[in-house]
Amino acid sequence: MTRAAARVAALVSLVVITLAFVGPFLWLVLASLQPDASLVAKPTFRFSFRNFAAVLDWETVYRPVLNSIVISGATAILTVVVSGLAAYPLSRYKLRFKRHFMLTLLFTTGLPVTAVMVPVYSMFFRFNLYGSVPAMVLFLTASALPFSIWMMKNFMDGVPVSLEEAAWVDGAGWVQSLARVVTPLMAPGVAVVAIFVFVGQWGNFFVPFVLLDTPEKQPAAVTIYTFFSQYGQAAYGELAAFSIIYTAPAVILYVAVNKYLAGSFSFAGSVKG
């Protein structure tokens, strides 16, 4: 295959992949703006914000989205803190069973959460934790920790130990060096872990659906289920409008930290020979 043919094949593949992603999004936009939207969204000049007006109330949008922000944000913050503390000794010290521990973490990342939901559900009932948002946040944090520790450790390996040694000479302890030297230098890595956890929990439907007992505590990922009737019929227009509102906070968060995600680890000039 010539170089020109390879470029054409690569371009066609990219166009197909782009259409596969853009197509559903276009349907979402069209269906949200059509008064009587159906499963087949057709281009039309009849646009209306009736679907958005129908879903923009406290019970349907505002409270579930606020619950999602609280649950996902608390899980992300707690996961970043704990994974940072756990990754520090794995990155800085020579531990006897470090390789086995890292392989165990890698193995646990492949375990689906649904595989442990039955014993977790039983445990929550046994200890009177069913319906507790803080308890569910702790469980979500525990389920996100293995992969977060793995990522945080890899990011932390990129920070030269000599920078910490300079801080130790000045009298700083490991906590101060971690907070004031390592963490600021690996800010892109911290942002990646936080976004990874936040977006993962933002779309989590199964865990809140099982562990939360009342609609007042459930996030937007569970509320979206209410747009389907008992017989599987859906209010497509309202569902599309709710989906756009539902995805907005995650997109806004990504844009807000985009400079950290796009940044690179550069320590030029920080270490002198």
Side-chain angles (χ1 to χ4, degrees):
M1 181 182 293
T2 63
R3 182 175 298 181
R7 289 182 178 178
V8 172
L11 181 61
V12 171
S13 300
L14 290 176
V15 170
V16 172
I17 295 174
T18 302
L19 291 177
F21 282 94
V22 173
F25 182 75
L26 289 178
W27 177 90
L28 202 65
V29 174
L30 289 175
S32 65
L33 296 176
Q34 291 180 355
D36 300 318
S38 61
L39 185 59
V40 181
K42 299 179 180 179
T44 177
F45 292 101
R46 295 179 61 249
F47 296 114
S48 173
F49 291 97
R50 186 187 308 171
N51 295 321
F52 288 94
V55 300
L56 283 174
D57 56 64
W58 175 251
E59 288 77 12
T60 307
V61 169
Y62 299 121
R63 184 176 61 197
V65 170
L66 181 61
N67 291 339
S68 294
I69 294 175
V70 171
I71 294 172
S72 302
T75 303
I77 294 173
L78 192 58
T79 302
V80 166
V81 173
V82 176
S83 62
L85 294 174
Y88 185 80
L90 294 172
S91 175
R92 291 298 188 255
Y93 302 144
K94 293 182 179 180
L95 305 177
R96 184 177 180 182
F97 299 104
K98 181 170 69 173
R99 184 174 182 273
H100 300 82
F101 182 74
M102 294 300 296
L103 291 176
T104 303
L105 287 178
L106 185 62
F107 170 76
T108 54
T109 58
L111 294 176
V113 178
T114 53
V116 298
M117 280 310 300
V118 172
V120 169
Y121 179 79
S122 177
M123 182 186 69
F124 269 58
F125 255 105
R126 184 179 182 86
F127 294 100
N128 296 323
L129 297 175
Y130 181 69
S132 173
V133 174
M136 189 193 69
V137 168
L138 291 177
F139 170 69
L140 293 175
T141 301
S143 63
L145 274 177
F147 195 65
S148 299
I149 294 174
W150 183 278
M151 288 194 300
M152 193 74 77
K153 188 261 182 187
N154 291 332
F155 287 124
M156 198 171 293
D157 288 342
V159 180
V161 182
S162 56
L163 296 177
E164 285 189 88
E165 292 175 345
W168 296 338
V169 171
D170 293 334
W174 72 270
V175 176
Q176 291 176 316
S177 64
L178 174 61
R180 299 182 181 181
V181 177
V182 178
T183 302
L185 291 175
M186 54 177 291
V190 174
V192 168
V193 175
I195 290 295
F196 172 80
V197 176
F198 185 91
V199 173
Q201 304 310 324
W202 186 265
N204 195 327
F205 167 82
F206 190 67
V207 174
F209 182 74
V210 173
L211 297 182
L212 296 182
D213 53 350
T214 59
E216 289 77 13
K217 303 176 183 178
Q218 292 174 344
V222 180
T223 306
I224 200 171
Y225 181 73
T226 60
F227 290 96
F228 295 88
S229 66
Q230 182 179 2
Y231 302 100
Q233 297 178 348
Y236 291 106
E238 296 179 5
L239 178 61
F242 180 85
S243 299
I244 292 177
I245 299 172
Y246 169 64
T247 57
V251 174
I252 293 173
L253 178 63
Y254 173 80
V255 173
V257 299
N258 183 58
K259 63 177 181 179
Y260 294 107
L261 295 177
S264 59
F265 294 93
S266 177
F267 306 104
S270 60
V271 180
K272 295 183 178 180

